[in-house]
Amino acid sequence: MNPSSVAQSTATARKLRVGVSQLASGMYVVELDRPWLDTPFLLEGFLVDSQIELETLRRYCRYVYVDPDRSDPRLAARIHEAELAEPPLVAQPGHVEPRDRRDPRAAAGAPRARTAASAARARVDTRVSSHTRERFRRFVRATAVAGAPPGAPRGVLGLTAGWLRRWISAGDDDPAAWQQRSLQAARDLLPPGTRLVRHPEPQALEAALPAARQATAAASRAAEELFDSIRAGEATLPAGLGAAVASLVDAMIANPDAPPWAARLHGPASREARHALAVAIHLLALGRSIGLDREALVSLALIGLLSDAGKARLPRALLEKPGMLSASEHTIVKEHVRLGLEAIERAESLAPEVRAGIAQHHERLDGSGYPKGLQGDEISVWGRMAAIADSFAALVSPRPYAEALAPQDAMMSLFEWAGSSFDEALVEQFVQAVGIFPVGSLVELSSAEIAIVAGHNRIRRLEPFVIVVSDAARQPLPRPEIRELPALGRGAPADALRIARGLPVGAFAPDPTLLDAVLGLADGA
């Protein structure tokens, strides 16, 4: 699907917030009040046309977003009357909001609209409240300049889309103080006695990439072998798993930009292994940002690589079903957590933190997760971190039933769910660690050229250096060009090159060989 058409359809879609007690058959639901992946609704955007769907929505949600233009025309007035004017307060960690279970008065006979075309439709962007946008705006503003002292210029904003440009004149908290508060709040979640370290300054990307490519290749092979062995019913872990994890951790410590770049360009072939590697890399970035030592980082990498191993025991048709899972199907899918732990622990005993991270990566602070419905402090920091990394990796990856989100849209989604599904302090650290424009992600520049983020500017976080891969007409360049985006302070010219917006995976497919050549890695690992 053309990315511009996706953006246009997303921008023009009307979404009205409706309480689940007011839903009726014939209403077209485009968004939920929680991550789609936490519910049986695998098709993101669907026409409600059965009592089972109504009851399932009431069980999982308090409100949803309805598109009146795609709903039964006879329900237009009813939808507008049912619209909720103000967004609800975000649930506090550990608090479970009561869900309205009243039966709605169903409307008659709406046509069924689940076609192959709708199954392939792009994911509709999450509805983000104005409160979340403001909170996200303030956080990114305060953390855009790494280590900025009190009173330091903060004119590096206004760099991305229009909603970022307005930040340049807004007053806000001191950047250094905000960063320290956020970091300390995340560290307060760690078990007593957790060892924190100051990791070395990153190596140059060109120097770190060869080892990172070897590390991601080894981790990819281990992930592929793990899924193959579990499918075959074998109780063995890949022989090279330990060494692969160690090398991946070392690569992340050496330069946190190198593993995600290598994984984006030279990652594994299967979707399962790609997801496992992505979760491991995201967890390592988060752990390094918090200051966890090498031993803890090894645990995080293992959690990422192993957490979805149980899906190898599930029918592929069930995992790729383009529609709502039945109650029994959803129960089967949730069993992947138990199945994975059983398969792994037949081969090797797991450290307590690794087991907790795997067991809890689908638990949510408000008790809406699985397999145990844990709440608040019942979920370990390892499970909380894994939940964030797993959800982000899913949101930015193409799936059988949904296209990928652009990374910054996925970050905004995490902020929307922070405090209810995810821990707010860890979400803030995750945004800082991975970046609004993650390494390896596609972006459109203000010149209309397409580029790939190749590394983060550790001082000016919204001004990464990029590799331009297309001209303004989106035609591939014969040789990509490395560019460092200029500092866009108050004195910068209005036409200074900047990132206009992020793009989802698949919007442009550059040649990895050419990119390696640009970085001097044509004869690399």
Side-chain angles (χ1 to χ4, degrees):
M1 179 177 292
N2 187 311
S4 61
S5 66
V6 173
Q8 185 178 14
S9 64
T10 299
T12 58
R14 289 199 297 158
K15 295 187 287 187
L16 304 181
R17 194 167 63 91
V18 175
V20 291
S21 64
Q22 301 301 313
L23 282 176
S25 292
M27 293 185 183
Y28 197 96
V29 175
V30 294
E31 195 57 64
L32 309 181
D33 64 353
R34 63 193 57 250
W36 286 92
L37 294 175
D38 290 352
T39 75
F41 296 98
L42 296 185
L43 181 64
E44 305 197 9
F46 64 95
L47 186 73
V48 177
D49 59 4
S50 75
Q51 188 64 28
I52 293 176
E53 290 169 339
L54 289 170
E55 292 173 355
T56 303
L57 286 167
R58 289 199 298 274
R59 186 163 65 250
Y60 282 90
C61 305
R62 291 178 294 125
Y63 62 93
V64 299
Y65 293 95
V66 171
D67 183 349
D69 296 329
R70 287 189 277 182
S71 299
D72 187 333
R74 294 171 293 180
L75 300 176
R78 179 171 177 175
I79 293 171
H80 285 279
E81 289 174 0
E83 182 184 8
L84 302 174
E86 295 295 332
L89 296 174
V90 175
Q92 295 302 310
H95 173 68
V96 181
E97 282 284 342
R99 297 182 181 123
D100 193 333
R101 297 180 180 272
R102 288 178 295 167
D103 289 330
R105 291 170 7 191
R112 192 166 188 84
R114 291 213 179 93
T115 64
S118 67
R121 185 182 55 252
R123 172 189 277 120
V124 177
D125 287 354
T126 300
R127 174 70 175 258
V128 177
S129 68
S130 58
H131 170 73
T132 295
R133 287 186 180 277
E134 175 64 15
R135 183 160 53 92
F136 189 71
R137 180 196 72 81
R138 293 179 64 242
F139 178 73
V140 176
R141 175 184 173 85
T143 58
V145 182
R154 285 167 289 195
V156 299
L157 299 168
L159 311 180
T160 56
W163 59 273
L164 280 173
R165 296 192 198 106
R166 297 192 298 272
W167 299 359
I168 216 166
S169 61
D172 219 321
D173 292 0
D174 175 76
W178 190 308
Q179 290 179 45
Q180 187 58 40
R181 284 199 307 271
S182 175
L183 178 60
Q184 190 57 53
R187 288 177 169 177
D188 287 344
L189 298 170
L190 299 171
T194 299
R195 183 168 176 262
L196 298 172
V197 299
R198 184 180 182 85
H199 292 289
E201 287 298 309
Q203 294 179 1
L205 183 62
E206 305 93 300
L209 264 175
R213 284 180 57 182
Q214 291 180 341
T216 54
S220 298
R221 287 192 299 270
E224 299 278 16
E225 292 174 13
L226 173 68
F227 280 93
D228 289 343
S229 66
I230 291 178
R231 286 191 192 98
E234 300 172 0
T236 58
L237 294 183
L241 178 63
V245 166
S247 61
L248 189 62
V249 169
D250 289 340
M252 179 60 71
I253 292 174
N255 185 320
D257 292 340
W261 175 263
R264 287 294 179 96
L265 295 182
H266 308 281
S270 75
R271 185 171 63 251
E272 297 90 347
R274 283 199 306 272
H275 181 76
L277 180 61
V279 176
I281 289 174
H282 294 331
L283 279 171
L284 286 175
L286 177 56
R288 189 188 193 279
S289 174
I290 293 174
L292 295 177
D293 66 7
R294 189 177 185 280
E295 182 179 355
L297 293 180
V298 167
S299 294
L300 288 176
L302 281 171
I303 291 170
L305 290 175
L306 302 178
S307 58
D308 270 355
K311 287 187 176 179
R313 300 277 300 275
L314 300 181
R316 183 172 294 275
L318 189 59
L319 297 174
E320 297 181 354
K321 180 179 177 181
M324 190 189 88
L325 297 176
S326 68
S328 60
E329 289 172 334
H330 196 218
T331 298
I332 292 172
V333 169
K334 291 190 288 188
E335 282 291 290
H336 82 270
V337 178
R338 178 184 62 82
L339 293 171
L341 279 171
E342 288 181 354
I344 294 166
E345 291 189 320
R346 282 201 304 269
E348 184 175 319
S349 60
L350 296 171
E353 64 273 16
V354 176
R355 192 184 198 287
I358 297 171
Q360 298 170 359
H361 75 283
H362 282 294
E363 300 288 358
R364 301 293 182 254
L365 292 183
D366 61 4
S368 63
Y370 65 84
K372 295 185 177 180
L374 301 179
Q375 301 181 39
D377 292 340
E378 296 174 334
I379 307 172
S380 71
V381 67
W382 315 106
R384 298 181 190 204
M385 294 171 72
I388 294 169
D390 178 76
S391 294
F392 180 78
L395 287 170
V396 298
S397 301
R399 290 179 166 271
Y401 44 82
E403 295 290 342
L405 284 180
Q408 70 268 30
D409 293 329
M411 292 292 184
M412 290 283 278
S413 298
L414 294 181
F415 256 70
E416 180 72 9
W417 302 322
S420 55
S421 291
F422 306 122
D423 187 276
E424 186 171 348
L426 291 176
V427 167
E428 290 183 350
Q429 283 303 301
F430 186 81
V431 172
Q432 287 207 80
V434 175
I436 300 176
F437 305 111
V439 171
S441 63
L442 290 167
V443 294
E444 181 179 317
L445 303 179
S446 56
S447 60
E449 298 165 304
I450 293 178
I452 298 179
V453 177
H456 286 134
N457 185 320
R458 297 295 164 187
I459 303 300
R460 305 189 311 273
R461 299 186 181 197
L462 292 180
E463 300 161 19
F465 75 85
V466 300
I467 298 180
V468 181
V469 294
S470 89
D471 60 22
R474 296 204 171 188
Q475 296 302 307
L477 296 180
R479 180 177 175 82
E481 303 171 2
I482 297 179
R483 294 187 197 168
E484 183 175 0
L485 298 182
L488 299 182
R490 286 185 172 85
D495 60 351
L497 188 66
R498 57 179 173 76
I499 293 177
R501 63 184 178 119
L503 298 173
V505 173
F508 191 88
D511 185 340
T513 304
L514 289 177
L515 297 175
D516 280 349
V518 169
L519 290 172
L521 296 171
D523 298 320

